Amino acid sequence: MSNDSAPQSGLATADTTAGQTELVNVRKEYGDTVAVDGVSVAIEPGELLVLLGPSGCGKTTTLRMIAGLETPTAGTIRIDGEDETRTLPKNRDLSMVFQSYALYPHKTVRENLAFPLAKMDLSASERDTQIQEVANLLEITDLLDKQPGQLSGGQRQRVAVGRTIVRKPRLFLMDEPLSNLDAKLRVQTRSEIRDLQQRLGTTTVYVTHDQEEAMSIGDRLAIMRNGQIEQIGSPRDVYHHPENEFIAGFIGDPQINFIDRGGDHSLFEAVEPPRAAVRAGIRPEALTLAPERTQPVSFEATITLVEPVGHSYELTLDAGGVTLTALIERLPPDVGTGDTLAFGFAPADVYWFDDNGATIVER
Ligand code: ADP
């Protein structure tokens, strides 16, 4: 991980080789419910790993087992080479931020920040220094004497993050830390968390169901479904090389277009699919207005809906009865809903899936 900005405070000198965390075949059952079904992953020192997946897939349970708040039914959790599977949370040297920023409402920000330090063997002046460092880092110095009720949601979340980092733990665990913030603040705060995590170099496991948030914040994503990890990779990896239909459909916004073989869509004749292919996937951003560029494959479609999104247009298309989404950067002013025209794509941009949903990798 890059850490080329000069240390700005004592906190930045935290041990960046710590926090290597390994889950080996970790499993958690609640009665008949298998919440986590054999998860194995190695989180590298200094890395920010995102656990991403739909609600109920086992992210929080996995994080809580790393924290020691749940005991695995089977499997091993090692931190820095030591088996910590059954170690009490307070002895794991890690700290956790939850979505509900649990600040003490009747204590000041300073007192809230001091709380995690209370059990540490620090002099009063060492404690003050550490609080001051965190406050500087998070730019909350002027809030130190206020109470949580006097702060905005974003400020409260910053203080909650401050409480997590003030102790200089070897591991940060964050469970949907931004979900209580409004959309704009969420985007701003996530880049602040990313920046802070890189400056501190502290190993971090971050849970979210939001693929865009995961893509923007993670060094790597571990994408979960039904208690299992389906794919681990960098944001680029999981976007460009999804291992299966689920990943291809989960990553990317607007969602990838799936086209079944056997329908009479001409796509399959036009690009010679691999023999085992039963479905194709084409990302909306891979479709273009054919006249824009010379595209090897083109097809006719009728525009049924035009939605401006940022600098692009999201078009809903009817291509011979198949509904497709296209993300087009430049839409000629005379083109709109009801028009039928040619669209195109490059065969290399098509993903093919077999009848198990696995991506077919052609060699
Ligand atoms: P996620 O964080 O991905 O939304 P969770 O880890 O919270 O998923 O939950 C995974 C599964 O385990 C869900 O089916 C959930 O209902 C179940 N589960 C989680 N915690 C408990 C519990 N304490 N008791 C019973 N079932 C639970």
Side-chain angles (χ1 to χ4, degrees):
M1 152 159 313
S2 73
N3 204 346
D4 36 17
S5 56
Q8 304 200 344
S9 76
L11 278 168
T13 61
D15 180 0
T16 55
T17 61
Q20 203 271 350
T21 303
E22 222 178 325
L23 276 60
V24 186
N25 276 323
V26 170
R27 185 176 174 85
K28 181 68 183 180
E29 296 167 14
Y30 297 104
D32 290 340
T33 306
V34 181
V36 175
D37 187 9
V39 159
S40 297
V41 58
I43 304 147
E44 299 309 323
E47 177 177 41
L48 193 160
L49 181 93
V50 178
L51 298 176
L52 171 69
S55 177
C57 71
K59 305 178 296 291
T60 295
T61 306
T62 303
L63 196 74
R64 289 174 60 85
M65 288 192 286
I66 299 172
L69 299 170
E70 301 285 346
T71 306
T73 310
T76 306
I77 297 172
R78 280 190 214 105
I79 306 177
D80 292 325
E82 301 282 327
D83 185 341
E84 306 269 18
T85 316
R86 272 153 229 288
T87 307
L88 288 173
K90 65 180 166 70
N91 297 332
R92 291 191 187 203
D93 187 20
L94 44 79
S95 56
M96 194 155 172
V97 188
F98 298 95
Q99 48 184 275
S100 49
Y101 19 82
L103 300 179
Y104 296 101
H106 303 300
K107 291 183 193 284
T108 62
V109 168
R110 186 189 308 279
E111 288 162 344
N112 268 283
L113 292 175
F115 194 79
L117 301 175
K119 292 198 190 94
M120 295 176 75
D121 190 17
L122 297 176
S123 70
S125 80
E126 282 170 331
R127 202 171 57 222
D128 287 346
T129 306
Q130 224 152 307
I131 290 170
Q132 201 59 51
E133 279 176 8
V134 168
N136 288 342
L137 201 60
L138 293 170
E139 295 169 16
I140 51 174
T141 308
D142 53 335
L143 306 178
L144 281 172
D145 296 315
K146 296 195 168 172
Q147 293 196 340
Q150 299 170 276
L151 309 181
S152 70
Q155 290 172 330
R156 279 202 288 268
Q157 188 60 348
R158 247 187 241 189
V159 177
V161 170
R163 277 185 31 152
T164 311
I165 67 178
V166 71
R167 226 161 32 80
K168 306 183 192 176
R170 60 177 167 173
L171 197 58
F172 295 151
L173 305 178
M174 304 194 176
D175 189 359
E176 305 258 5
L178 308 180
S179 55
N180 283 341
L181 305 179
D182 66 45
K184 196 170 163 203
L185 202 52
R186 209 155 54 220
V187 169
Q188 185 191 330
T189 312
R190 86 183 177 210
S191 60
E192 285 173 8
I193 289 182
R194 177 61 173 157
D195 183 50
L196 189 65
Q197 189 270 337
Q198 292 202 322
R199 267 159 53 189
L200 298 173
T202 307
T203 314
T204 301
V205 185
Y206 186 108
V207 163
T208 183
H209 65 275
D210 179 336
Q211 61 96 24
E212 193 203 326
E213 185 173 309
M215 297 286 273
S216 81
I217 209 171
D219 289 307
R220 286 191 304 159
L221 319 184
I223 305 171
M224 296 184 68
R225 174 168 63 161
N226 296 335
Q228 299 183 334
I229 294 180
E230 295 266 321
Q231 183 167 358
I232 303 176
S234 68
R236 289 179 65 91
D237 258 356
V238 298
Y239 175 87
H240 290 289
H241 306 289
E243 284 177 13
N244 57 43
E245 256 180 61
F246 168 72
I247 303 288
F250 198 73
I251 299 291
D253 181 36
Q255 206 193 22
I256 195 168
N257 297 292
F258 289 115
I259 301 155
D260 287 332
R261 194 171 198 164
D264 61 354
H265 196 262
S266 57
L267 173 72
F268 280 94
E269 293 95 71
V271 287
E272 289 186 47
R275 193 185 294 263
V278 301
R279 282 183 112 187
I282 305 181
R283 294 206 182 273
E285 49 275 34
L287 295 177
T288 62
L289 273 169
E292 269 187 5
R293 263 187 247 163
T294 321
Q295 290 284 36
V297 185
S298 69
F299 62 92
E300 292 251 302
T302 304
I303 300 174
T304 58
L305 188 65
V306 178
E307 293 168 88
V309 282
H311 294 295
S312 311
Y313 295 89
E314 187 177 328
L315 308 184
T316 306
L317 307 178
D318 177 351
V322 178
T323 302
L324 298 173
T325 307
L327 199 63
I328 304 288
E329 269 180 33
R330 261 180 291 277
L331 196 64
D334 55 338
V335 171
T337 306
D339 292 343
T340 300
L341 59 166
F343 289 82
F345 60 89
D349 287 336
V350 182
Y351 297 94
W352 300 103
F353 305 103
D354 68 18
D355 58 0
N356 293 316
T359 308
I360 299 169
V361 182
E362 289 183 285
R363 310 239 170 240

